[in-house]
Amino acid sequence: MSRAPGEGGLGGPRRGRVLVGVDGSASALRAVDAAAREARLRGTGLSVVHAFVWPLLKVHLGPSPYGPATGGLRQQAQDVLDTAVARARATAPDIDVAGEVVTGEPLTVLATRARSAALVVVGSRGAGAFTGLLLGSVAVHLAAHADCPVLVVRGRERPNGPVLLAVDGSADSGAAVDFAFAEAAARGVELRAVHAWTPTSGPADLTPLFHGTEEIRGEERRVLDQALAAAGANRPELPVERRLVRGRPGPVLLAESADAQLLVMGARGRGGFAGLLLGSVSQAMLHHAECPVAVVREGTVEREGTAERQGTVERQGAAVREGAAMQEGVAVREGAAVRSG
């Protein structure tokens, strides 16, 4: 299922460039490799950006009078950028690569540039990370706030592994589903859609009192099938493995990521608190998944059949809980069977 550059539907109406932030760290150079490959898949260009914070601190930027004429903070920043640009061109010689040193702190620079990007790619830790800090603050903030999908490069590279999609049936997960289907098609690999479920969400959950485990399982199977229906109909040629796994979402996805080449998930899942921009499971995967993680917020990619699919998924996902409430007049919390955020 190999494809030519740009084939596979990754572009959509957002034909912006892929954006990657670099800071001279080994993690950032891995992000450059991934970003170059993503740009090639999309048939678009790559923008390599280094945020140069020192001018804001009013420090001397030129070479020291006691050091070589080629030294200094400004030259150091340019060297970081030049190394990253050369790396990108070596990884994907057939794409347009542009580099720029931009004055500002990394978060502001990347968040601003992401507004017109198709995808922003960052490493899992930066040059300024404290020892033991698994994920830089820039990556976490972008995953929660960026106006385009965010790819955090971490874990091992497995080019033959499947694209892993975390399915939770939430109203905000449709964009992640579309993104995962497009990525799997462009990469020429299988899509593995995983839906983790448990009979209860906690001690106060009354659902098992009125519904047997098999009934709940059947309902969760319908949630999985319905979440994939529209995207699957648009790409009938794509092989899709559907896995309904009993267990908490975090441990299930961590185990499933062991042989995947990419994990795709929404920013928040069913049961997420209103106003919480990045759910607990998404954060856990950004820190611990064994493969790169793409976080896709609703509204950041093209949607197909949005209204119809969203309404059906919500109805299917709420059926068990609504049935319990009708029988006993008890309001059962949303997310009783699956809480992934």
Side-chain angles (χ1 to χ4, degrees):
M1 284 182 65
S2 61
R3 296 179 181 273
E7 189 178 353
L10 278 172
R14 291 197 61 151
R15 296 294 297 179
R17 298 167 68 91
V18 172
L19 170 69
V20 61
V22 298
D23 59 8
S25 65
S27 178
L29 290 178
R30 283 193 63 199
V32 169
D33 292 339
R37 291 190 293 265
E38 287 290 333
R40 186 177 187 276
L41 286 175
R42 287 166 167 73
T44 189
L46 173 64
S47 296
V48 183
V49 173
H50 175 61
F52 190 39
V53 71
W54 293 110
L56 303 180
L57 304 179
K58 308 299 183 182
V59 299
H60 180 65
L61 304 179
S64 166
Y66 306 104
T70 56
L73 293 173
R74 189 181 300 280
Q75 185 58 50
Q76 185 181 72
Q78 190 62 50
D79 291 344
V80 166
L81 181 70
D82 291 345
T83 298
V85 168
R87 177 96 167 222
R89 288 173 175 160
T91 300
D94 52 345
I95 67 170
D96 174 64
V97 180
E100 185 178 5
V101 175
V102 182
T103 298
E105 56 89 20
L107 179 56
T108 301
V109 170
L110 291 176
T112 301
R113 296 300 178 94
R115 294 171 186 166
S116 59
L119 174 74
V120 59
V121 184
V122 292
S124 59
R125 68 173 75 189
F130 294 100
T131 300
L133 185 62
L134 297 181
L135 190 69
S137 59
V138 172
V140 172
H141 185 92
L142 287 174
H145 297 278
D147 291 325
C148 68
V150 176
L151 174 60
V152 178
V153 180
R154 57 165 296 105
R156 297 189 182 96
E157 294 184 7
R158 300 179 183 85
N160 296 320
V163 169
L164 175 63
L165 169 64
V167 177
D168 58 33
S170 67
D172 293 330
S173 65
V177 173
D178 292 341
F179 184 92
F181 268 82
E183 281 284 340
R187 294 168 182 238
V189 299
E190 178 184 70
L191 175 67
R192 180 190 298 165
V194 176
H195 180 46
W197 70 283
T198 58
T200 68
S201 62
D205 187 1
L206 302 179
T207 300
L209 296 179
F210 313 113
H211 299 272
T213 300
E214 287 306 310
E215 184 180 356
I216 297 173
R217 179 183 176 85
E219 184 58 41
E220 297 303 334
R221 167 63 69 178
R222 286 188 286 275
V223 169
L224 173 60
D225 291 342
Q226 191 59 49
L228 305 178
N234 290 326
R235 299 181 186 274
E237 77 289 349
L238 181 69
V240 179
E241 179 187 4
R242 304 176 185 219
R243 290 190 180 183
L244 188 65
V245 183
R246 183 169 177 173
R248 306 302 302 169
V252 168
L253 292 175
L254 181 60
E256 294 284 349
S257 71
D259 66 343
Q261 65 171 275
L262 173 68
L263 167 60
V264 179
M265 59 194 317
R268 293 196 303 122
R270 280 162 57 182
F273 292 102
L276 186 64
L277 297 181
L278 193 62
S280 60
V281 175
S282 299
Q283 291 197 51
M285 292 304 100
L286 287 175
H287 284 85
H288 301 294
E290 296 188 33
C291 66
V293 179
V295 177
V296 186
R297 296 174 56 232
E298 196 68 8
T300 60
V301 296
E302 179 185 15
R303 296 294 311 283
E304 298 176 0
T306 302
E308 178 181 355
R309 176 172 55 200
Q310 177 173 321
T312 306
V313 168
E314 288 176 335
R315 289 192 298 272
Q316 294 283 354
V320 168
R321 289 171 292 279
E322 290 176 354
M326 290 176 62
Q327 291 180 36
E328 298 295 324
V330 179
V332 180
R333 292 187 322 182
E334 181 179 358
V338 176
R339 292 179 62 202
S340 60

